[in-house]
Amino acid sequence: MIDEKQLIGELKNEATKQTAFRSMVGLYKERLYWHVRKIVLDHEDTDDILQNTFIKVWRNIDSFRAESGLYTWLYRIATNESLTFLNQKKKKTFGGTDEELNDYLVENLQADLYFNGDEVQLKLQEAIARLPEKQRLVFNMRYYDDIKYQDMEKILETSEGALKASYHHAVKKISDFLKNQG
Amino acid sequence: MKNMNDIFNPEKEGSKNSPFDVPKGYFETFEDRLEAQITAMEEKPSRSRTIIRILKPVVGLAASFLLIMLLVKYPLNKITPSLTSLDDSSFVEDSDYWKEIILSNSIFIDDRALLQVMNNNETTSPGESDEIIATVSSELNDYEVFAELYN
């Protein structure tokens, strides 16, 4: 296993930066991909966001002070990139309304070649897409990725209590949505 | 997942399986595509930086010149408004006045008259010239000169 401190040291060293960067991408690309994918749902958009995330890391690694773990930092950048992407799309295409954006994301998912879920999973994704931003993030990170609340606290910069409450509300809303859909 | 109740049932196998998929070989080629993009992005700014480096002194000179012009022209306008108002347009407007002055002070001779005057001067014989000089040098009054010429 690669030592994180050593990896950060190599990333900050011009002589070893490129090799260390490649190792870091190999280590985190899949986890970050799935994290982003669950937020934006579309594969092509996820690919763009993931590349932008790593490009930001490449450019700003010197300013990384290692107060939080590398993994936390990467998750935070990926989350911010994903939310920025959705907000820009909302403003440019849907005049700033959440509902139209959510409808578009779900419709897009139905036509997505890289969505292999059944009808129940599609309904679940629709329910998740209709959640408020924070609840959607917390639900995905907890439900799919099993990320601990302590880690989530650092990534989303929110208290553990607030995160637990967000997850609880998200589960309730999803259950209600699915019941109503029958 | 077959049933809605399976969603929040951790006992059910595959209840949390991600329904998403990726294109074949996506993760295997990701690093190469990312590196290619980073290389392309790092090349682009260097080209634009070169253009900026070339244009910088030119733009700087133009801006300085403009600034100097503004610094000179505006205070000058304020200090001497009467002088600075005499610009090119006032000369254009007064050009008819100057034309009249030039025309009224000029003597115009057509080509034929000019040629005749020149010929007359050339046909004057040296003898006649001597006669005029002798007449002028003799201290005669106008009446005597007139009488001499017609006698």
Side-chain angles (χ1 to χ4, degrees):
Chain A
M1 195 175 160
I2 301 168
D3 177 39
E4 196 176 288
K5 272 189 182 175
Q6 191 189 335
L7 185 64
I8 295 166
E10 286 173 1
L11 281 166
K12 290 188 174 195
N13 182 347
E14 277 303 315
T16 52
K17 187 178 178 179
Q18 200 150 0
T19 319
F21 183 75
R22 208 177 163 90
S23 303
M24 184 203 67
V25 173
L27 198 64
Y28 294 111
K29 66 182 174 189
E30 284 200 45
R31 273 187 276 177
L32 289 178
Y33 174 88
W34 293 118
H35 174 63
V36 174
R37 180 76 185 268
K38 278 172 214 127
I39 301 171
V40 299
L41 304 180
D42 181 67
H43 166 71
E44 299 299 334
D45 294 339
T46 307
D47 183 42
D48 288 345
I49 292 165
L50 190 62
Q51 292 207 26
N52 287 344
T53 301
F54 282 119
I55 288 166
K56 279 204 169 172
V57 171
W58 172 264
R59 284 179 175 168
N60 299 301
I61 192 68
D62 291 330
S63 61
F64 175 57
R65 284 175 290 174
E67 283 165 358
S68 58
L70 184 61
Y71 157 85
T72 309
W73 188 54
L74 290 172
Y75 253 75
R76 203 182 293 154
I77 296 172
T79 308
N80 287 340
E81 284 289 306
S82 307
L83 296 179
T84 306
F85 169 82
L86 286 180
N87 285 330
Q88 280 175 350
K89 196 154 198 162
K90 192 164 71 182
K91 276 182 194 164
K92 280 180 189 169
T93 322
F94 304 104
T97 62
D98 282 321
E99 274 189 27
E100 280 183 69
L101 175 71
N102 294 340
D103 288 343
Y104 164 81
L105 290 175
V106 174
E107 278 170 30
N108 224 24
L109 193 62
Q110 284 172 306
D112 194 343
L113 286 171
Y114 304 112
F115 180 79
N116 59 12
D118 55 26
E119 204 181 324
V120 175
Q121 280 169 323
L122 185 67
K123 285 281 171 209
L124 175 60
Q125 287 307 315
E126 195 178 338
I128 295 169
R130 290 181 196 288
L131 290 172
E133 195 175 86
K134 197 71 164 234
Q135 288 177 20
R136 190 163 75 236
L137 286 172
V138 174
F139 182 81
N140 279 329
M141 290 167 92
R142 186 78 189 134
Y143 181 78
Y144 286 113
D145 303 338
D146 277 328
I147 296 176
K148 289 176 192 167
Y149 284 116
Q150 287 96 323
D151 291 334
M152 241 193 272
E153 204 177 343
K154 290 170 196 159
I155 296 165
L156 300 176
E157 293 172 322
T158 310
S159 70
E160 196 177 324
L163 291 169
K164 282 180 179 172
S166 288
Y167 184 74
H168 174 76
H169 287 305
V171 170
K172 178 86 175 57
K173 281 180 188 172
I174 291 168
S175 301
D176 290 346
F177 179 85
L178 295 174
K179 271 179 201 164
N180 290 336
Q181 293 289 306
Chain B
M1 205 187 300
K2 290 175 184 173
N3 199 311
M4 294 280 188
N5 298 325
D6 296 344
I7 291 172
F8 296 114
N9 186 355
E11 304 298 315
K12 288 277 178 183
E13 200 177 313
S15 64
K16 289 183 179 182
N17 276 358
S18 171
F20 301 104
D21 208 352
V22 288
K24 208 177 175 183
Y26 171 74
F27 288 120
E28 287 78 8
T29 57
F30 184 79
E31 283 95 328
D32 294 331
R33 285 185 292 116
L34 181 67
E35 272 184 15
Q37 203 186 339
I38 288 172
T39 311
M41 285 180 92
E42 288 194 340
E43 273 175 9
K44 269 184 193 170
S46 68
R47 273 182 208 151
S48 62
R49 269 183 213 147
T50 312
I51 295 165
I52 290 167
R53 212 183 302 137
I54 294 165
L55 289 177
K56 218 173 180 178
V58 180
V59 173
L61 271 173
S64 321
F65 183 73
L66 195 71
L67 192 70
I68 291 165
M69 286 292 287
L70 289 172
L71 286 172
V72 170
K73 198 181 174 183
Y74 282 100
L76 209 67
N77 270 341
K78 294 225 167 181
I79 296 161
T80 56
S82 57
L83 279 174
T84 49
S85 66
L86 246 164
D87 56 359
D88 293 344
S89 59
S90 63
F91 280 111
V92 172
E93 280 168 15
D94 293 340
S95 62
D96 288 340
Y97 167 74
W98 289 108
K99 203 173 173 181
E100 273 178 37
I101 289 174
I102 292 163
L103 285 171
S104 63
N105 287 293
S106 304
I107 299 162
F108 288 96
I109 304 170
D110 64 9
D111 291 349
R112 190 179 288 175
L114 182 66
L115 191 68
Q116 204 175 351
V117 169
M118 286 167 76
N119 286 338
N120 286 344
N121 284 341
E122 279 174 13
T123 51
T124 311
S125 63
E128 283 174 352
S129 300
D130 291 340
E131 242 179 68
I132 292 166
I133 291 164
T135 308
V136 170
S137 59
S138 64
E139 293 175 6
L140 297 172
N141 60 28
D142 289 347
Y143 177 75
E144 286 167 331
V145 171
F146 187 75
E148 281 270 332
L149 283 170
Y150 285 95
N151 290 327

